[in-house]
């Protein structure tokens, strides 16, 4: 658990993290995917209406790890990974 706390603390400093700003939450997820070398990934879809980010989750382990990281970063009333991506999550498990 201390390793996760250390990762979250460093990432928060790196991204000037704001728990209320969706993009910093997503940046934290992207950082975790890269740092922990997860098979999950984020897809960026550009449409006429704007840019959508879609999270592709490879395993329940990936989802649980990313959820725990969000929980550690936000502490009170943390959103789920799905809420961070406005329901744009595809699961492959």
């Amino acid at each position: 658990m201390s390793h996760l706390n250390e990762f979250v603390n460093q990432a928060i400093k790196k991204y000037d993290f704001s728990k209320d700003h969706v993009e910093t939450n997503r940046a934290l997820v992207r950082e975790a995917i890269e740092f922990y070398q997860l098979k999950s990934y984020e897809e960026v879809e550009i449409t006429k209406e704007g840019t959508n980010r879609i999270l592709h989750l490879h395993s329940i382990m990936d989802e649980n790890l990313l959820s725990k990281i969000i929980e550690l970063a936000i502490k009170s009333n943390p959103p789920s990974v799905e809420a961070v991506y406005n329901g744009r999550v595809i699961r492959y498990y």
Side-chain angles (χ1 to χ4, degrees):
M1 182 68 105
S2 65
H3 189 274
L4 280 178
N5 282 321
E6 185 178 320
F7 166 79
V8 169
N9 290 333
Q10 289 181 3
I12 285 173
K13 290 176 190 173
K14 181 177 179 179
Y15 290 107
D16 193 24
F17 186 79
S18 168
K19 66 180 184 177
D20 299 322
H21 193 260
V22 174
E23 283 308 313
T24 59
N25 291 320
R26 291 176 183 170
L28 180 62
V29 169
R30 288 190 297 272
E31 179 79 14
I33 289 170
E34 184 178 324
F35 183 81
Y36 290 105
Q37 299 176 351
L38 304 179
K39 291 182 181 178
S40 296
Y41 63 95
E42 184 186 81
E43 175 186 11
V44 179
E45 176 185 66
I46 300 172
T47 65
K48 292 178 185 179
E49 291 79 32
T51 301
N52 294 316
R53 293 184 179 274
I54 303 162
L55 183 62
H56 295 260
L57 292 169
H58 181 263
S59 68
I60 196 162
M61 183 197 76
D62 287 8
E63 183 170 3
N64 288 340
L65 177 64
L66 296 173
S67 293
K68 186 63 177 177
I69 288 169
I70 290 170
E71 178 184 321
L72 291 171
I74 296 179
K75 294 180 179 77
S76 63
N77 296 324
S80 65
V81 172
E82 192 152 349
V84 170
Y85 282 87
N86 298 323
R88 292 181 180 98
V89 175
I90 298 172
R91 292 173 176 85
Y92 295 102
Y93 58 89

